[in-house]
Amino acid sequence: MRPCAVWRGGRPPTSWWSGRRFGLPADVKAKGPAPNINPARAKTGQNQPGADFPHPTNGTKALTPSWCGGKRDAVLFDEARADWPLPGIILKLFTCPRCGNAVHFENTQCVGCGSPLGYVPERFEVVTLEQRDGSFVSLSKGGEAYALCGNAASVACNWLVPINAGETFCEACRYNRMIPPLSDETIVRNWAKLEVAKRHLFYSLMRWHLPRSPRGVDRQEGLAFDFLVDERKEDGTTKPVMTGHESGLITINVAEADDAERERRRTAMGEPYRTLIGHFRHEIGHYYWDRLVRDGGKLDGFRTLFGDEREDYGEALKRHHNNGPRPGWTQAFISAYATAHPWEDFAETWAHYIHIVDGLETAEAFGIRTGLGATQSGSVKDEGSRFEPYSAASARELVDSWVPLTIAVNSINRSMGQPDLYPFVISKPVVDKLQFIHSLIHAPLKT
């Protein structure tokens, strides 16, 4: 496993277990039983049946789910379209479809009109729902029927599953392999925070239509997630869980979702930035290195920019932790940890690429723009046009828009006595690396 230790973070879901607070019917439950605790996994986790795991019966008490939701400019998605990622659409602004009240990606109910909301990931759309005959019917045009994700009760997942899809879990949750014990309320609360960050990740993956194979399809290197807790041994010592990636399996230590613990680790490691969403974006970078670089015939281009990945990984990490980053690293790397090994350089740069794109989309949705960015591609033609970060023509165009924005936001943070929101320098070599990743993500053929 590549035991990555870099910047991470995320926002806790709003009232993740307060369904009754919002006045929801007491009988609103997730479709299907919640998974039971496997005694063999009781200390560190339990089975979370995904695409390749049978769904067990169980006696675990389900929490009343809260409802989350949001709307992205009433986006309509034609599943037959091949022109990804949906040119001309800015999706990060969420409003209630019924009353137009602003809601967040993590919210479960409109606080303005009280409508329960659900997110349809395949359409990038939030819909209002009405419970009918054991399912939930969208009140939007079409009136599709959906089931709640199997994790709605435990972690308030608001992503919906088409009623006839034959799936228990949503597009994001079905990749879970192991989840933490549901008997500890604090652990479940932390797991809920991690799931919010993971849904942010899957939003980006689906916007770009990036290929991903579940463990049930590719048992050797299929994508899967383990959410584990440190194991307390009988002698009183602790066996820590290492966050990292190995052959498609991404392991996340649930303790990272505890704000105080994450800050302690950030300080101990001398990191300027450590977030939950960064964990996911970094680790998925390792997965896509395997898929798009190694298996995609891009090793020569990768080695030219990032270095030779055949360098001994264990020794490289040991050297990095003992000696720190190489002198002058800011001239060629996005972060200090990126200097450890070419694999880590790629994963760090990949994560920053998603940060930049998603950050720009959010800013654009709220009308926040400090610079128009590059205009040679035609993506930004005048002040009245909308910049489309997910379909930008180049990494340079993204960086030209991102840097002025971060300068402004960092200055606002400083005026409030807070650290910089984006404490990183994007040098010319880093732009070249970002362009390499941009080319991988926007390759014409996606399988």
Side-chain angles (χ1 to χ4, degrees), residues 409-426:
V409 175
N410 287 348
S411 298
I412 293 173
N413 273 28
R414 293 181 186 186
S415 71
M416 298 296 291
Q418 296 294 321
D420 288 353
L421 178 70
Y422 190 77
F424 303 95
V425 176
I426 302 179

Side-chain angles (χ1 to χ4, degrees), residues 43-167:
K43 291 185 178 180
T44 58
Q46 65 185 66
N47 293 326
Q48 170 82 77
D52 61 333
F53 302 103
H55 201 291
T57 59
N58 101 81
T60 303
K61 183 179 179 181
L63 300 175
T64 301
S66 60
W67 284 90
C68 293
K71 179 188 176 186
R72 295 176 173 150
D73 289 345
V75 177
L76 298 178
F77 172 61
D78 180 1
E79 296 181 359
R81 290 182 62 178
D83 51 337
W84 288 74
L86 300 179
I89 296 175
I90 303 294
L91 300 178
K92 265 294 187 181
L93 183 59
F94 297 85
T95 57
C96 172
R98 173 169 284 172
C99 71
N101 186 62
V103 294
H104 296 288
F105 188 67
E106 301 87 354
N107 292 152
T108 53
Q109 184 187 37
C110 176
V111 297
C113 67
S115 296
L117 306 171
Y119 177 64
V120 183
E122 298 81 8
R123 292 164 48 184
F124 305 104
E125 182 182 9
V126 164
V127 296
T128 53
L129 297 171
E130 181 178 282
Q131 192 171 13
R132 299 177 191 170
D133 301 326
S135 64
F136 295 87
V137 177
S138 166
L139 298 184
S140 302
K141 183 178 180 179
E144 300 90 344
Y146 296 97
L148 302 183
C149 173
N151 281 336
S154 53
V155 292
C157 177
N158 66 319
W159 285 27
L160 300 174
V161 181
I163 196 66
N164 297 320
E167 298 283 355

Side-chain angles (χ1 to χ4, degrees), residues 35-37 60 93 95 127 134 181 213 223 246 250 281 302-303 305 311 345 357 374 388 392 404 438:
N36 68 317
I37 297 178
T60 303
L93 183 59
T95 57
V127 296
S213 298
L223 181 61
E246 183 175 15
I250 293 174
R281 288 171 174 171
F302 167 81
R303 290 168 183 166
L305 292 169
E311 175 189 4
D345 191 9
V357 171
E388 303 158 16
H438 177 88

Side-chain angles (χ1 to χ4, degrees), residues 150 204 336 364 416:
S204 296
E364 182 70 23
M416 298 296 291

Side-chain angles (χ1 to χ4, degrees), residues 123-357:
R123 292 164 48 184
F124 305 104
E125 182 182 9
V126 164
V127 296
T128 53
L129 297 171
E130 181 178 282
Q131 192 171 13
R132 299 177 191 170
D133 301 326
S135 64
F136 295 87
V137 177
S138 166
L139 298 184
S140 302
K141 183 178 180 179
E144 300 90 344
Y146 296 97
L148 302 183
C149 173
N151 281 336
S154 53
V155 292
C157 177
N158 66 319
W159 285 27
L160 300 174
V161 181
I163 196 66
N164 297 320
E167 298 283 355
T168 300
F169 295 94
C170 73
E171 179 62 30
C173 290
R174 71 185 57 154
Y175 285 86
N176 290 358
R177 192 183 74 152
M178 295 290 298
I179 62 172
L182 300 182
S183 56
D184 188 310
E185 183 178 294
T186 300
I187 289 176
V188 175
R189 193 188 302 259
N190 286 335
W191 174 39
K193 296 178 185 179
L194 290 166
E195 287 293 346
V196 171
K198 179 157 69 71
R199 291 197 293 275
H200 276 278
L201 169 68
F202 270 77
Y203 168 81
S204 296
L205 302 185
M206 296 181 73
R207 285 295 307 277
W208 284 312
H209 202 52
L210 286 171
R212 55 193 181 277
S213 298
R215 217 65 170 179
V217 175
D218 182 355
R219 293 189 176 274
Q220 298 300 316
E221 295 187 316
L223 181 61
F225 294 85
D226 281 356
F227 297 97
L228 305 180
V229 297
D230 295 335
E231 180 180 356
R232 191 74 171 177
K233 296 184 177 180
E234 294 181 357
D235 61 4
T237 61
T238 299
K239 180 181 179 182
V241 171
M242 297 297 293
T243 291
H245 167 271
E246 183 175 15
S247 300
L249 177 61
I250 293 174
T251 301
I252 304 289
N253 189 331
V254 176
E256 285 282 352
D258 180 87
D259 295 340
E261 175 61 22
R262 188 172 62 256
E263 178 62 16
R264 185 193 69 79
R265 297 184 184 197
R266 185 196 68 79
T267 302
M269 294 182 178
E271 299 171 343
Y273 199 66
R274 190 178 181 91
T275 69
L276 297 185
I277 201 167
H279 272 302
F280 286 99
R281 288 171 174 171
H282 175 100
E283 301 305 343
I284 204 71
H286 289 300
Y287 173 76
Y288 281 111
W289 186 90
D290 292 343
R291 293 293 305 272
L292 304 180
V293 178
R294 183 198 64 189
D295 299 342
K298 304 295 184 180
L299 283 172
D300 289 342
F302 167 81
R303 290 168 183 166
T304 298
L305 292 169
F306 295 89
D308 194 335
E309 82 290 350
R310 292 169 293 189
E311 175 189 4
D312 187 280
Y313 181 73
E315 289 299 318
L317 283 190
K318 184 186 300 184
R319 181 177 64 250
H320 174 78
H321 291 306
N322 289 339
N323 304 328
R326 66 190 69 177
W329 62 267
T330 59
Q331 300 303 311
F333 297 89
I334 192 63
S335 71
Y337 190 60
T339 68
H341 187 274
W343 278 336
E344 299 305 334
D345 191 9
F346 180 85
E348 285 284 82
T349 309
W350 176 281
H352 275 262
Y353 182 88
I354 302 180
H355 268 295
I356 291 169
V357 171

Side-chain angles (χ1 to χ4, degrees), residues 349-422:
T349 309
W350 176 281
H352 275 262
Y353 182 88
I354 302 180
H355 268 295
I356 291 169
V357 171
D358 212 47
L360 283 172
E361 184 186 56
T362 302
E364 182 70 23
F366 284 91
I368 303 171
R369 186 189 298 176
T370 58
L372 294 179
T375 59
Q376 61 268 28
S377 67
S379 291
V380 180
K381 296 179 180 178
D382 54 56
E383 293 190 13
S385 65
R386 303 193 75 176
F387 181 38
E388 303 158 16
Y390 272 92
S391 56
S394 68
R396 168 53 68 186
E397 181 180 55
L398 292 167
V399 170
D400 285 347
S401 294
W402 179 244
V403 170
L405 179 64
T406 58
I407 292 173
V409 175
N410 287 348
S411 298
I412 293 173
N413 273 28
R414 293 181 186 186
S415 71
M416 298 296 291
Q418 296 294 321
D420 288 353
L421 178 70
Y422 190 77

